[in-house]
Amino acid sequence: MTAADASAPDLARLTGLRSGKGRFYPELRLTAQRLDRVIAALDTISRALVQTIEGPENLVRAVAEAARATLDAEWVLLALADGALPEASVRHLILDSAGVAYAFEGLGSAADPGAALPDVVLNRLNDILRGQLAQFRLPVIEKQHAHVPIELDGTVIGAFAAWTPPHRALDGTDAMVMRILAGQTAVALQNSALFTKSVTLLAQSEARNAELLATQRELGAAQRHQVLNSERHRIARELHDSVAQTVLSAGMQIEVCRSEIGHGAGELAGRLDLAKELTRSATEQLRSAIYALNQPADAERSSLAAMLGQLATVHMPEDLRVTLRVDGPSVELPGDVEHALLRIAGEALFNTAVHGNASRALVRLSYRIDAVALSIADDGTGDPDTLRLILRMAEAADVDGRHRGLANMRARAAEHGGTFDVYRSRIGGVRVVARIPYCPEGRRT
């Protein structure tokens, strides 16, 4: 042997092949076949283990099928000992040579084992389930049988077993495949159980969140009812303390004048009688409105549109017709924004009823892309230019307390980053418009 021969790498040690020409090619073919089988086995194992997120049943089926296909096995058994890995819902699975699955419990689509299982498979299953694994703590690789323990954190929690037909002898490559499958199965089963648990917890969290949102909506509805009731009582007090008293005083003055002129005034007496009748009718209408306003609001009405509809009906005398329109899909608004809009609508309708000399009013609630808009228009005798002047004067200095209503409406809109403007109404009178941008809680998603 030359020095070059002595320093050359040992071909047999590197490749597992002898360099003798008589056996080189047969060993090369055998090694290539084993390499192909190993690559195919690893591919099968990887495709099996990615079934973790598909649930424990699919995972166990994929792992057992990987072993059956790689070993050409007649029977494959995968089982966990009782009490081990309690989160795993699938405890055992048996496959025959055709890939038919058998299980006594925990597997929804498994066939009934009946008398189809051989005794050697049933006995091994009972041993594993009962935790009698002392004799199998080390892998057992025989000619037609392999048994590999499944370990987790150094503890044997189950086993993986396979039986092959006479023509399929097991070797070291098969032992490696079995060990890889057994080593990864416990981790994959635990991950699958944790994934299933996380999905359950997520569903429970979503249910809790839905309950919380429902509670928030109920609280918002209760707040809106409280706002409406407060507004009703405020309007009732305004009507009683100002308008009703003024109408009663006017009626008394008419009565005094009527008594002083006697019965000889002719046409003038008739007009005074008519004025007296009108003031009496107005007083009765005001009393009816005050009574209605002091009654509790309908508990079932919770949306902003419903609140505005009720607010419009309880405000108005009989000779003023009010229409409510809602544009766009409704957006959940914070309670303080709805409160502000309700108060703006109440103040505007009160002004229309008392000062506007109107026969018709239109309340429009518009849900736009980035803001909610509320407008109240009438066909009365109000002048937008005069009202804008009064609004500027009221904001500059409170020169006339009777005109603070416009300034209050603008202030309520401004508190939420909005605007308040006065325009000429298309139906002839005044139109006031409040625009409030959506805050984060009420913005569209």
Side-chain angles (χ1 to χ4, degrees), residues 5-276:
D5 294 332
S7 62
D10 187 348
L11 184 62
R13 180 162 55 85
L14 289 176
T15 65
L17 302 176
R18 296 177 181 273
S19 60
K21 293 182 180 179
R23 301 184 59 186
F24 180 80
Y25 291 109
E27 290 185 6
L28 178 61
R29 287 196 300 271
L30 180 60
T31 300
Q33 291 172 357
R34 288 180 176 176
L35 181 61
D36 290 341
R37 187 149 54 90
V38 169
I39 293 174
L42 292 176
D43 179 65
T44 303
I45 292 170
S46 64
R47 284 187 282 108
L49 294 180
V50 298
Q51 298 291 322
T52 299
I53 63 173
E54 301 296 330
E57 181 172 335
N58 289 333
L59 170 64
V60 172
R61 278 180 174 272
V63 170
E65 178 59 30
R68 186 196 69 81
T70 302
L71 305 179
D72 296 325
E74 288 186 329
W75 295 98
V76 173
L77 166 64
L78 190 156
L80 300 176
D82 291 340
L85 203 62
E87 299 87 0
S89 57
V90 179
R91 310 296 302 176
H92 68 275
L93 174 68
I94 301 170
L95 290 183
D96 63 13
S97 59
V100 178
Y102 301 87
F104 291 93
E105 61 180 357
L107 206 64
S109 58
D112 184 7
L117 302 182
D119 291 341
V120 65
V121 177
L122 285 175
N123 292 337
R124 185 64 53 82
L125 174 62
N126 289 330
D127 290 342
I128 298 173
L129 294 179
R130 294 170 183 171
Q132 298 177 3
L133 301 172
Q135 67 272 36
F136 298 115
R137 292 193 176 278
L138 296 176
V140 175
I141 305 296
E142 299 174 343
K143 192 173 182 180
Q144 264 79 45
H145 167 245
H147 181 107
V148 178
I150 298 175
E151 298 185 33
L152 183 65
D153 297 331
T155 302
V156 177
I157 62 171
F160 205 7
W163 292 265
T164 61
H167 67 274
R168 177 61 167 89
L170 300 176
D171 56 21
T173 301
D174 302 318
M176 177 196 68
V177 172
M178 291 287 286
R179 284 195 296 270
I180 293 175
L181 281 172
Q184 297 299 319
T185 295
V187 176
L189 279 173
Q190 187 179 43
N191 290 341
S192 179
L194 292 175
F195 178 78
T196 302
K197 186 176 181 180
S198 66
V199 171
T200 302
L201 291 175
L202 177 61
Q204 293 175 352
S205 176
E206 291 176 346
R208 299 286 192 279
N209 187 53
E211 292 176 0
L212 178 60
L213 291 176
T215 301
Q216 289 177 339
R217 285 193 292 269
E218 292 175 0
L219 290 174
Q223 184 181 25
R224 289 192 292 270
H225 290 309
Q226 183 179 8
V227 169
L228 179 60
N229 285 333
S230 299
E231 183 69 9
R232 291 160 64 98
H233 293 312
R234 184 191 71 82
I235 296 168
R237 288 193 300 270
E238 291 280 351
L239 291 175
H240 179 271
D241 296 341
S242 59
V243 181
Q245 298 301 322
T246 301
V247 173
L248 287 173
S249 298
M252 293 175 64
Q253 293 298 322
I254 292 172
E255 181 66 24
V256 170
C257 292
R258 180 66 179 81
S259 62
E260 288 182 355
I261 65 173
H263 298 284
E267 183 181 354
L268 179 58
R271 291 183 178 180
L272 288 174
D273 288 338
L274 177 59
K276 178 181 177 181

